[in-house]
Amino acid sequence: MNWLADMRKSYERGALDEEHSAEQPLKQFQQWFKEALDDKVLEPNAMTLATVGPEGRPSTRVVLVKDFDERGLVWYTNYESRKGHELAAHPFAALQFHWVSQERVVRIEGRVERVSDAESDAYYLSRPLDSRLGAWASPQSQVISGRAVLVANAAKVAAQHGLSPKRPPHWGGFRLVPDQWEFWAGRPSRLHDRLRYRLQPDGSWLRERLAP
């Protein structure tokens, strides 16, 4: 496995310093997200979601951010999934965006809450029909005997709901309300740039540089 130990990359694309970063983390994220879009980064909205189960065991999976603003970052899922149950037990989580081609990482931590029914309904109705039916057909995170179960469920749901399925009560959005952001930019010699923003009691953000 020497080849694996010898794998290395020199990070040369850019820098992140206090003078050229936003005072508010949301503005910094908006700028980096726009640049990821402009650079045609593959699935720039993909983020790793980390949760903790009742026994303290962490788990991760990739989800897609579907909205973000001053209230937080939103994704949608089955509330009866593993992540849904873990967030019900421990309503705190961490998110991570890794834009490999840009040599950038964004990490976000905070409290998680469900979005309103109106928000979930609006997003559900915006999805393609197959995706709306799939939210009914998949018992997410449960053990099934094979793919045929999903196919049969999808056919049954299509027959029951037709072209206008309503949002399943077990499906909807979560919003992470950040209290900490970190922006990482790769630099040569592993002397990477890391800026952390921490929410203060008065609602302001404290920006700090972290050693790589």
Side-chain angles (χ1 to χ4, degrees), residues 156-177:
K156 185 184 300 183
V157 166
Q160 290 176 342
H161 296 277
L163 300 178
S164 302
K166 293 183 179 180
R167 179 176 62 89
H170 58 265
W171 189 97
F174 284 110
R175 174 180 286 108
L176 184 141
V177 182

Side-chain angles (χ1 to χ4, degrees), residues 102-191:
Q102 292 188 314
E103 301 176 358
R104 289 174 171 175
V105 173
V106 182
R107 298 175 57 241
I108 310 143
E109 301 177 20
R111 174 177 51 84
V112 177
E113 60 190 21
R114 291 190 183 189
V115 306
S116 68
D117 287 343
E119 289 176 271
S120 290
D121 288 341
Y123 175 70
Y124 181 79
L125 291 176
S126 75
R127 305 180 86 206
L129 176 60
D130 287 350
S131 297
R132 281 179 278 152
L133 294 173
W136 283 99
S138 175
Q140 193 175 111
S141 299
Q142 296 182 26
V143 176
I144 57 177
S145 59
R147 184 170 180 80
V149 173
L150 297 178
V151 175
N153 285 353
K156 185 184 300 183
V157 166
Q160 290 176 342
H161 296 277
L163 300 178
S164 302
K166 293 183 179 180
R167 179 176 62 89
H170 58 265
W171 189 97
F174 284 110
R175 174 180 286 108
L176 184 141
V177 182
D179 56 32
Q180 183 166 294
W181 298 71
E182 182 184 325
F183 296 84
W184 179 99
R187 298 296 302 277
S189 303
R190 296 297 186 266
L191 299 178

Side-chain angles (χ1 to χ4, degrees), residues 8 16 18 40 42 49-50 63 83 117 152 170:
R8 287 178 177 82
L16 177 65
E18 291 81 351
K40 295 181 170 52
L42 184 63
L49 164 66
V63 297
K83 56 185 170 295
D117 287 343
H170 58 265

Side-chain angles (χ1 to χ4, degrees), residues 26 29 51-52 67 84-87 95 113 119 133 158 179:
L26 179 61
F29 181 73
T51 57
V52 177
D67 191 22
H85 286 297
E86 290 182 344
L87 288 170
L95 302 172
E113 60 190 21
E119 289 176 271
L133 294 173
D179 56 32

